[in-house]
Amino acid sequence: MENESTFVAPEGVYSVTEEHKPGSFGQHPITTAPILYPTRISAVTVRFPATKSNSQGLAQLLGGGNREKDYKKEKAAPAKEREDGLSVSSSETPDEGTSPDVSNTPVPDSAMSTPAMPHEQLNNIFFQTPAGLGKKKTFARPKHNMRTTSSTFITRVQNTDNLTKGLHSKQGETNFVFYNLAKSFIWMEAGSKPKEPLARVYFSAYPTCHDVNLTTVSPERIDVIIGFNTGDLLWFDPVSSRYGRLNKQGRICNSPCTAIRWVPDSPNLFLASHADGTIVVYDKEREDGVFMPQEPGAPPSTSSDGNSASSHGEWNPLDSIFVTMPPWHPVTVGGNLSSGGKSEKEKTAKNPVSHWKVSRKGISDFVFSPDAKLVAAISEDGCMRIIDTVTEQLVDCYASYFGSLSCVAWSPDGRFILTGGQDDLVTIFSPWEQRVIARCQGHSSFVSALAFDDIRCDGRTYRFGSVGEDNKLILWDFSSGALHRPKLHTAHHQRQSMTSNTSLALRRRGESTLYLPPSGAFGGDSPLPRYHPAPSRNEVAVVQPVVVKHIGTDMLTDTTFIGRGLLTATKLGHIKLWIRPLAVQPRHLRTQSTYRRNSQVDAVL
């Protein structure tokens, strides 16, 4: 029987086994601050070793063996550790020109001198897989201790008792959950008893978004990037309670941070989007540089501060993005553009790695393709843009059916993109075919969040979930083969169909990431436009929901799937864990692979 804590799906009954409510455990009075930004959640699975051959090993990795020495050093040199919120250097030292002490920290490859290369060939900088990091065996850790900091940005840190000992005693797979609430950021363990947060950090600003690096996650470290309404960014390792700051006081961009994503398979690169329509590429191991992005429409020459970008007349955000290269970029330093007599100190690699002006309105969210070669970014102007991260160019721009877009997700196999927004619809795009293939009708208000269920996506059928301001959790299933292509009659649609088929063929052969036909390929003098208006309702297939579940009275703001089930969050920070059903298929259809798939626990995107 379905009730407030259960719902029935085709594969069985989902039930709530865990809830975290504001006020269910002791909270600092600062949480009385108004909740101006929605709660966002993320989850990650950490695999702890099953046996502990050396009882001191993990404690030393967590800093337990040197905790007392580190504390004495920090007390002996408070000036070096001090971060009072007035400095503008991400190195957190009074002298912004002083480099941080990296004697015990691996030097990032991105900070080393790199050969000159065209700006269109950024793969040596942008895509840094662990295998491509040379002989470096360890990754850099945040520099500053959160428990002893004098920062005014961090107002309080509250850890559970014996945190290090508790982590050291864990074995097997453990699910950790992170979420923001008002001016606090919470780290919890899914399934923990008692349900008390492992750590809660209070700030003077509002956390608005965050992301966990799945490349570096281990029992010894969890790299989290947190964005704030002030534009500040915080690199945080909750295991060691250490942190570093980037874009301090909005030095690079002072607009509120709207979304953050680590570059897949990169230990140090991430992207942050802002409410001014920009996406900035950062390296967590670099300091903030003195940087002023070039304004669209400026002459295509090197500006007085060394910045450079391509511009040809009036900038059209529906046809291109505007890229500003920092003065320390390889092209600016020693490539096609003059270095302008910059000193070696000014040529040192700093943040940002790159700066993209994507829209004249705020970026709501963005997501990487599985191979990290493309980014799908949505904005308040009602457009979804697909950006090639290697060439830093706009590939396609799709208009929403109505209003702005608020959430986006990319399927695990890269074939489909989902968007949701103010049109109360979930739209399914095929980037390979460059078209809208379906719309999903079921929400009666704005769609807040979307997520694919990796366990139930097998390349033929796909499962995803959505939540909205109508307090509905909806599960959807669709099959790519069941979504028929509507009849197209206009010449424009015929050209688009030919382009899509050619693009798909090239994709299957692996010859090209994307296909843009040459000028005159279809009888015209100009190439096909990148902008695609929204098709009418009778041109697109409609998908109906599988499950519609009303949850409480508080606005739902986020959802994500984990191996055990799915998580939902409300604006007021009410988190629920819905466990998957034990039986996902009728008995005569069950297979061993089905059981293995449903028992698998993977890291969440």
Side-chain angles (χ1 to χ4, degrees):
M1 181 67 67
E2 185 170 330
N3 53 45
E4 292 183 359
S5 299
T6 62
F7 65 83
V8 180
E11 63 270 20
V13 179
Y14 286 74
S15 59
V16 175
T17 61
E18 188 175 332
E19 294 186 64
H20 302 284
K21 298 180 181 180
S24 58
F25 35 74
Q27 294 182 357
H28 191 258
I30 202 169
T31 56
T32 58
I35 299 178
L36 304 179
Y37 297 90
T39 296
R40 300 295 183 187
I41 55 176
S42 61
V44 65
T45 298
V46 178
R47 294 170 175 85
F48 290 87
T51 58
K52 306 292 193 302
S53 58
N54 184 357
S55 60
Q56 298 296 326
L58 184 56
Q60 291 175 355
L61 289 172
L62 294 176
N66 298 322
R67 189 67 46 83
E68 184 177 354
K69 294 180 181 179
D70 293 342
Y71 181 74
K72 290 181 179 179
K73 289 180 181 179
E74 290 159 0
K75 296 295 287 184
K80 193 170 184 178
E81 180 69 24
R82 177 169 180 78
E83 192 275 293
D84 56 7
L86 299 178
S87 171
V88 294
S89 172
S90 64
S91 65
E92 311 242 356
T93 57
D95 182 8
E96 68 178 22
T98 303
S99 300
D101 182 12
V102 294
S103 56
N104 298 322
T105 301
V107 179
D109 288 0
S110 55
M112 299 178 182
S113 59
T114 53
M117 65 183 71
H119 195 54
E120 291 77 12
Q121 298 177 357
L122 289 174
N123 53 320
N124 290 338
I125 296 178
F126 203 87
F127 299 104
Q128 296 183 358
T129 60
L133 293 176
K135 298 181 179 180
K136 184 171 59 177
K137 297 181 180 180
T138 59
F139 302 124
R141 290 183 179 272
K143 180 181 178 182
H144 304 285
N145 194 322
M146 188 169 284
R147 290 186 296 270
T148 59
T149 184
S150 58
S151 169
T152 57
F153 188 77
I154 302 170
T155 58
R156 180 172 174 174
V157 180
Q158 190 176 6
N159 289 342
T160 187
D161 294 337
N162 301 318
L163 175 60
T164 301
K165 183 178 179 181
L167 293 175
H168 186 207
S169 64
K170 292 187 179 299
Q171 298 185 19
E173 295 178 339
T174 301
N175 290 322
F176 291 124
V177 179
F178 300 88
Y179 66 95
N180 62 290
L181 176 61
K183 291 186 176 182
S184 64
F185 186 75
I186 298 100
W187 175 30
M188 309 245 352
E189 178 186 346
S192 62
K193 293 182 180 181
K195 299 176 179 63
E196 181 179 344
L198 299 175
R200 180 189 289 271
V201 185
Y202 301 91
F203 300 95
S204 60
Y206 287 89
T208 57
C209 53
H210 62 278
D211 194 31
V212 181
N213 194 328
L214 302 182
T215 301
T216 61
V217 66
S218 69
E220 296 83 30
R221 67 180 298 154
I222 302 176
D223 290 316
V224 184
I225 288 290
I226 309 172
F228 295 84
N229 67 317
T230 56
D232 292 76
L233 304 171
L234 190 83
W235 170 26
F236 176 42
D237 177 10
V239 176
S240 62
S241 292
R242 302 190 71 84
Y243 76 98
R245 288 183 64 182
L246 301 94
N247 192 32
K248 191 174 178 181
Q249 294 186 321
R251 188 182 192 188
I252 296 171
C253 181
N254 59 8
S255 180
C257 188
T258 57
I260 286 180
R261 296 285 185 272
W262 289 96
V263 176
D265 296 328
S266 174
N268 60 316
L269 293 177
F270 66 93
L271 272 63
S273 63
H274 295 269
D276 62 354
T278 61
I279 296 178
V280 185
V281 186
Y282 290 92
D283 186 326
K284 67 176 176 59
E285 298 174 11
R286 294 188 187 183
E287 297 183 43
D288 292 343
V290 179
F291 174 78
M292 288 293 293
Q294 188 174 2
E295 291 297 324
S301 59
T302 303
S303 60
S304 59
D305 61 356
N307 295 332
S308 172
S310 298
S311 177
H312 300 281
E314 181 67 21
W315 175 56
N316 180 7
L318 301 180
D319 189 61
S320 65
I321 64 172
F322 191 87
V323 180
T324 301
M325 290 182 291
W328 44 84
H329 190 278
V331 172
T332 310
V333 173
N336 299 329
L337 301 178
S338 172
S339 61
K342 296 290 182 180
S343 65
E344 292 300 323
K345 182 178 179 181
E346 292 172 309
K347 294 178 184 178
T348 302
K350 298 179 180 180
N351 278 319
V353 177
S354 188
H355 181 282
W356 305 344
K357 181 68 173 179
V358 177
S359 171
R360 288 192 173 94
K361 294 190 176 181
I363 303 296
S364 305
D365 197 2
F366 68 93
V367 66
F368 278 96
S369 63
D371 61 4
K373 293 181 180 179
L374 300 172
V375 164
I378 58 173
S379 62
E380 295 177 356
D381 63 2
C383 290
M384 180 191 70
R385 295 170 172 85
I386 298 180
I387 301 169
D388 189 317
T389 58
V390 178
T391 63
E392 296 185 292
Q393 294 181 354
L394 182 67
V395 177
D396 281 301
C397 179
Y398 299 90
S400 66
Y401 188 76
F402 172 79
S404 65
L405 296 173
S406 56
C407 49
V408 62
W410 208 309
S411 66
D413 59 3
R415 293 185 61 187
F416 302 105
I417 301 174
L418 306 174
T419 63
Q422 293 181 351
D423 53 12
D424 304 347
L425 299 171
V426 176
T427 304
I428 305 176
F429 296 86
S430 173
W432 295 7
E433 301 178 41
Q434 296 178 301
R435 69 182 182 100
V436 176
I437 63 170
R439 292 192 179 103
C440 307
Q441 297 180 349
H443 282 285
S444 56
S445 187
F446 298 170
V447 183
S448 304
L450 295 162
F452 275 97
D453 184 356
D454 292 2
I455 291 179
R456 301 191 66 85
C457 295
D458 58 10
R460 298 182 301 274
T461 59
Y462 299 82
R463 161 69 61 84
F464 67 91
S466 62
V467 295
E469 296 184 7
D470 51 7
N471 303 327
K472 291 180 182 177
L473 165 65
I474 300 182
L475 299 183
W476 314 79
D477 288 342
F478 73 93
S479 171
S480 57
L483 299 177
H484 66 279
R485 177 185 291 272
K487 295 182 180 180
L488 305 177
H489 302 286
T490 65
H492 170 73
H493 286 157
Q494 291 174 357
R495 293 196 306 164
Q496 186 177 11
S497 176
M498 294 173 63
T499 304
S500 302
N501 292 335
T502 307
S503 175
L504 182 58
L506 290 172
R507 280 276 196 172
R508 289 173 174 170
R509 294 201 304 265
E511 295 181 13
S512 175
T513 300
L514 52 98
Y515 172 76
L516 293 178
S519 300
F522 299 103
D525 296 330
S526 60
L528 295 178
R530 293 182 175 88
Y531 178 75
H532 306 277
S536 62
R537 287 182 178 271
N538 59 1
E539 293 179 331
V540 178
V542 176
V543 175
Q544 298 297 331
V546 173
V547 175
V548 179
K549 175 64 177 178
H550 291 264
I551 301 178
T553 58
D554 188 16
M555 182 191 305
L556 293 170
T557 58
D558 205 1
T559 185
T560 189
F561 287 89
I562 61 176
R564 298 173 58 191
L566 69 126
L567 292 158
T568 58
T570 70
K571 184 176 181 179
L572 299 180
H574 188 180
I575 312 297
K576 288 186 177 183
L577 172 60
W578 303 78
I579 294 297
R580 296 179 186 273
L582 295 178
V584 298
Q585 287 182 333
R587 183 178 297 275
H588 67 283
L589 295 178
R590 298 178 191 171
T591 63
Q592 291 299 320
S593 60
T594 300
Y595 284 117
R596 286 196 297 270
R597 188 186 311 123
N598 289 327
S599 62
Q600 181 183 8
V601 180
D602 291 328
V604 176
L605 294 177

